[in-house]
Amino acid sequence: MMNLALSERNVYEDFDLESDVLYFRIGMQGLVSFHGRNYNIKKRMTAELITQLIGKSSFYQISSNCYINLGKIKSISGGTIYFGTDCSESKQLTVNRRKQYVIQELFRQRSADSQLRQTP
């Protein structure tokens, strides 16, 4: 039983961008703040690593320094992006109407692509 607890992954030290991070913000001098469901982690990164991070297709830029994980969005309404199932207890970000429309279009494209892949 003790081995099971030790073998679990420590999200604070070793997190996966695609599955753990809801959104991230890029700060001054390479400081990147990652926001997950129950945590916020700040890491200093090189310019090369930040460029790779920004280039990932699963993240979309909603402001000059903020990128959201499109796969983790649960709903969008009234200019607010919700990352959890319950709107009152989930992490959320505000977004302007133009970005909200673009994100909704990306959702439509993703759902159409996933339906095409599932059809035999």
Side-chain angles (χ1 to χ4, degrees):
M1 188 161 173
M2 195 147 177
N3 290 338
L4 178 64
L6 293 176
S7 67
E8 289 184 17
R9 184 171 53 97
N10 184 353
V11 177
Y12 295 101
E13 293 177 8
D14 181 32
F15 60 90
D16 180 44
L17 284 174
E18 306 292 326
S19 63
D20 296 333
V21 175
L22 302 176
Y23 63 96
F24 66 89
R25 296 180 191 268
I26 300 173
M28 299 297 285
Q29 300 175 353
L31 189 63
V32 181
S33 178
F34 296 98
H35 298 265
R37 197 171 64 114
N38 294 322
Y39 63 86
N40 299 329
I41 299 172
K42 291 184 179 181
K43 287 191 172 192
R44 194 158 305 278
M45 300 178 83
T46 64
E48 181 180 300
L49 288 174
I50 291 174
T51 304
Q52 289 175 359
L53 185 64
I54 292 170
K56 293 198 179 280
S57 64
S58 59
F59 287 95
Y60 180 74
Q61 184 177 11
I62 61 168
S63 68
S64 62
N65 67 343
C66 186
Y67 296 79
I68 59 171
N69 188 343
L70 294 172
K72 294 295 183 176
I73 296 173
K74 298 298 180 191
S75 65
I76 304 171
S77 65
T80 305
I81 298 171
Y82 298 98
F83 292 100
T85 54
D86 183 14
C87 293
S88 64
E89 294 185 13
S90 68
K91 284 204 175 181
Q92 54 194 356
L93 288 172
T94 57
V95 66
N96 63 36
R97 273 203 262 169
R98 184 176 64 87
K99 293 288 185 178
Q100 178 178 340
Y101 177 75
V102 171
I103 293 168
Q104 288 171 334
E105 287 299 313
L106 288 170
F107 272 142
R108 288 186 189 115
Q109 288 176 352
R110 280 185 159 209
S111 65
D113 289 345
S114 67
Q115 288 175 357
L116 289 174
R117 288 183 199 150
Q118 291 178 0
T119 355

